[in-house]
Amino acid sequence: MSPLDRTPPALRGADGEGSVQVHQDESAKIEGAKVFSVYGKGGIGKSTTSSNLSAAFSMLGKRVLQIGCDPKHDSTFTLTGTLVPTVIDILKEVDFHPEELRAEDFVFDGFNGVKCVEAGGPPAGTGCGGYVVGQTVKLLKQHHLLDDTDVVIFDVLGDVVCGGFAAPLQHADRALIVTANDFDSIYAMNRIIAAVQAKSANYKVRLAGCVANRSKDTDEVDRYCKTVGFNRIAHMPDLDAIRRSRLKKKTLFEMPDDEEVVQVRKEYIRLAETLWNGTEPLAPAPLPDREIFELLGFD
């Protein structure tokens, strides 16, 4: 829309029909597995949460696939112990001829059998994250890598600001939001809730709840949730053991069994059990900007 346009775009209807969203390729549907998309403010600990949640699902005997959807491709490095190449990097090497790829070219084994994929992203300032996610899912389906999978976890970068990075919501059964007990994180959560609500008009995705991460207290998170009709379904405290696990390129399930680590592991196992058993499909009402400032803003 140019600066002189007076009529805003229509944002209703199916994705791709009078919408700024990218429509899902019908051949890319994920069937059989339970699919979760993890969102939250940049730097809030989505990758830490995703990787430890994947590990927890694997400890419950589930066959898990984690897909990192961030150009910096560090979603799975605590599961694999290294930065694995991205799907986009591998496709470039074969001049974007996916038929030349083998599964082992882009799927890597992680802790306790968790399968790890880094989708990557387009070059800075170009392309669309939705295309990258779509190509990754197509490759996984072409190689039948989703046939023997119980749980798929998408770890998605930062706040949802465009249809491209909302693309994993087209595949997910439930969206999980990682937040902290502060204004910026909760403001981002409010925007993500709005994005999920928009996608839920055309896709099966619904909100599962939020995880309070790196937070001693949860009072502000709980106050927001009570106001909009949302649920906090886990709390990961701000422990140094979690920071150290990232530095050691390990999940918490590979760290020494000190009291702090054991307690957080139990919370991740409890979260995995909650998600596996099924959560109520939540439909909170996101707050307008002015109202969220009044709820959580400074005096």
Side-chain angles (χ1 to χ4, degrees):
M1 186 169 69
S2 78
L4 296 179
D5 287 335
R6 297 288 183 251
T7 305
L11 301 181
R12 295 179 181 177
D15 284 358
E17 297 177 8
S19 169
V20 293
Q21 303 286 322
V22 178
H23 186 65
Q24 181 192 51
D25 185 338
E26 289 298 312
S27 67
K29 285 185 178 179
I30 298 176
E31 299 171 331
K34 293 189 177 185
V35 184
F36 304 98
S37 288
V38 180
Y39 284 88
K41 173 180 172 289
I44 200 63
K46 294 180 298 298
S47 293
T48 299
T49 300
S50 298
S51 295
N52 283 296
L53 183 57
S54 288
F57 273 121
S58 77
M59 299 299 286
L60 295 175
K62 309 305 179 187
R63 299 166 298 179
V64 186
L65 169 67
Q66 181 168 320
I67 303 173
C69 304
D70 191 323
K72 67 179 185 292
H73 63 104
D74 65 342
S75 171
T76 60
F77 90 96
T78 57
L79 289 161
T80 63
T82 186
L83 286 175
V84 302
T86 71
V87 168
I88 290 300
D89 289 338
I90 297 297
L91 282 171
K92 284 180 182 177
E93 291 180 4
V94 295
D95 199 24
F96 290 89
H97 291 288
E99 68 277 4
E100 297 183 20
L101 296 182
R102 302 166 301 169
E104 54 266 34
D105 292 330
F106 59 94
V107 181
F108 302 88
D109 291 328
F111 168 75
N112 203 36
V114 175
K115 300 297 183 183
C116 300
V117 176
E118 293 285 353
T126 66
C128 175
Y131 166 80
V132 176
V133 171
Q135 289 301 304
T136 298
V137 173
K138 280 183 180 179
L139 273 175
L140 291 167
K141 292 200 73 170
Q142 287 169 3
H143 289 270
H144 304 286
L145 294 168
L146 296 169
D147 296 349
D148 299 318
T149 301
D150 300 311
V151 175
V152 177
I153 293 179
F154 285 97
D155 174 17
V156 192
L157 80 167
D159 190 3
V160 178
V161 294
C162 76
F165 288 121
L169 296 173
Q170 298 172 346
H171 302 283
D173 300 293
R174 290 288 186 269
L176 184 66
I177 303 175
V178 182
T179 187
N181 204 47
D182 61 62
F183 175 83
D184 288 345
S185 303
I186 297 172
Y187 181 84
M189 176 163 64
N190 192 65
R191 285 173 54 83
I192 294 163
I193 286 174
V196 177
Q197 300 291 61
K199 281 293 185 184
S200 68
N202 296 304
Y203 298 98
K204 63 182 177 179
V205 65
R206 297 294 184 271
L207 286 153
C210 67
V211 174
N213 191 48
R214 297 179 181 171
S215 301
K216 177 182 177 182
D217 301 310
T218 64
D219 55 322
E220 299 297 334
V221 172
D222 294 340
R223 188 150 63 99
Y224 171 82
C225 288
K226 183 178 180 181
T227 301
V228 302
F230 202 36
N231 289 342
R232 175 176 58 81
I233 58 176
H235 176 208
M236 307 302 171
D238 189 11
L239 299 178
D240 191 59
I242 299 175
R243 181 189 65 84
R244 286 187 281 111
S245 72
R246 294 280 293 178
L247 292 174
K248 291 181 177 292
K249 303 181 182 69
K250 296 180 182 295
T251 67
L252 287 165
F253 292 86
E254 301 167 88
M255 294 290 285
D257 294 337
D258 64 43
E259 184 178 354
E260 285 186 347
V261 169
V262 170
Q263 286 302 117
V264 181
R265 283 183 198 154
K266 287 181 179 178
E267 182 71 344
Y268 272 110
I269 291 289
R270 189 191 65 79
L271 176 59
E273 289 174 336
T274 297
L275 293 171
W276 180 259
N277 291 331
T279 59
E280 179 185 355
L282 300 175
L287 296 176
D289 286 352
R290 185 176 296 278
E291 290 186 25
I292 195 170
F293 270 89
E294 289 174 353
L295 178 70
L296 302 171
F298 300 105
D299 293 333

